[in-house]
Amino acid sequence: MLVSGHGEWWETPPFTSSIDRFKEYSGAEAEAIDLARPETLRRLEEIPALLMYEVGAGGPHARVVRHGRIRNIVRRGHELAFTFEPDPEHAFLDRSAVLRIADRLGIQQFEQHRTHWAIKDGDIPAELIATGTAERAQRTVAVVAAEYVGSAPRGTKERSCRTGRRTGGFSSPRWRKHCRSCRRVSFSSRHPNYTRSLG
């Protein structure tokens, strides 16, 4: 599992990772991988990998986790350079789905906020991989706004909700929780998407 705090690090190859944080938060299986023996790096090309962003990172796809295989690992000074081969059927996972089973994956709380390369024990659960898609999901206005409302400072959410209604409304129930204005119009035709989401 590779984590980056730069919100667009995994968008354009080739990719790199600093050796300073290589094998941080790793399991016992990482003991067989040694930078002093470059041939051992080939083992990393035989196992599935996840490329994700730190929690709190910006960028248009910060909540997308890539699933696939690391290829062509080469050490270049203080970095490891590599290419990435996406899984043909389940290349894109939602970060929330990954973190929902963080304990099973051996992902600790602090490492979700730290750039590093971890080699975890065990396999990625099949049920998590099954949630992946071959194509990255479209970032609609509703998706962007739902992401924003979860992280926006207090006092900005009501203004954001009014903006959202002008651009087509939102379907996330969190808007009702945070926005007095939204509660007043949740069953109004002015907010059709939200009304439908409430059933």
Side-chain angles (χ1 to χ4, degrees), residues 63 137-149 169-171 174:
R63 294 172 185 250
Q138 293 291 324
R139 283 177 56 80
T140 62
V141 171
V143 170
V144 173
E147 293 176 358
Y148 176 74
V149 76
F170 308 119
S171 58
R174 286 180 293 178

Side-chain angles (χ1 to χ4, degrees), residues 94-122:
D94 186 86
R95 187 177 64 193
S96 63
V98 174
L99 297 184
R100 198 173 296 127
I101 58 170
D103 289 343
R104 291 179 60 187
L105 294 171
I107 301 175
Q108 300 179 36
Q109 180 69 28
F110 184 73
E111 69 175 303
Q112 299 173 23
H113 305 268
R114 182 169 173 82
T115 296
H116 68 289
W117 185 331
I119 303 170
K120 302 295 186 180
D121 295 336

Side-chain angles (χ1 to χ4, degrees), residues 11-196:
E11 305 305 315
T12 307
F15 305 120
T16 60
S17 181
S18 172
I19 65 171
D20 295 337
R21 299 184 182 182
F22 181 65
K23 298 206 307 184
E24 283 192 357
Y25 299 100
S26 293
E29 294 180 14
E31 296 176 4
I33 311 298
D34 188 349
L35 290 175
R37 294 182 292 139
E39 67 277 8
T40 65
L41 296 176
R42 300 280 80 79
R43 300 184 187 184
L44 298 177
E45 300 182 10
E46 300 171 359
I47 58 177
L50 299 177
L51 306 185
M52 60 189 296
Y53 292 107
E54 291 181 17
V55 172
H61 306 294
R63 294 172 185 250
V64 175
V65 176
R66 288 160 173 77
H67 166 242
R69 302 270 177 160
I70 301 294
R71 301 296 189 201
N72 307 310
I73 305 175
V74 178
R75 180 172 178 175
R76 295 176 179 166
H78 292 284
E79 292 184 328
L80 290 174
F82 59 92
T83 58
F84 183 73
E85 181 181 293
D87 185 276
E89 296 181 1
H90 307 287
F92 300 100
L93 309 174
D94 186 86
R95 187 177 64 193
S96 63
V98 174
L99 297 184
R100 198 173 296 127
I101 58 170
D103 289 343
R104 291 179 60 187
L105 294 171
I107 301 175
Q108 300 179 36
Q109 180 69 28
F110 184 73
E111 69 175 303
Q112 299 173 23
H113 305 268
R114 182 169 173 82
T115 296
H116 68 289
W117 185 331
I119 303 170
K120 302 295 186 180
D121 295 336
D123 299 321
I124 301 173
E127 61 267 30
L128 173 61
I129 295 175
T131 67
T133 58
E135 300 292 333
R136 189 164 49 199
Q138 293 291 324
R139 283 177 56 80
T140 62
V141 171
V143 170
V144 173
E147 293 176 358
Y148 176 74
V149 76
S151 59
R154 188 174 183 178
T156 63
K157 291 171 182 174
E158 187 167 338
R159 292 195 301 273
S160 301
C161 191
R162 289 196 295 269
T163 301
R165 291 198 302 275
R166 289 197 299 270
T167 56
F170 308 119
S171 58
S172 172
R174 286 180 293 178
W175 288 103
R176 185 173 65 161
K177 176 180 178 182
H178 292 299
C179 180
R180 293 188 302 275
S181 175
C182 196
R183 283 199 294 268
R184 288 198 295 270
V185 300
S186 60
F187 292 98
S188 164
S189 60
R190 291 170 55 200
H191 208 331
N193 289 347
Y194 189 80
T195 302
R196 285 197 295 271

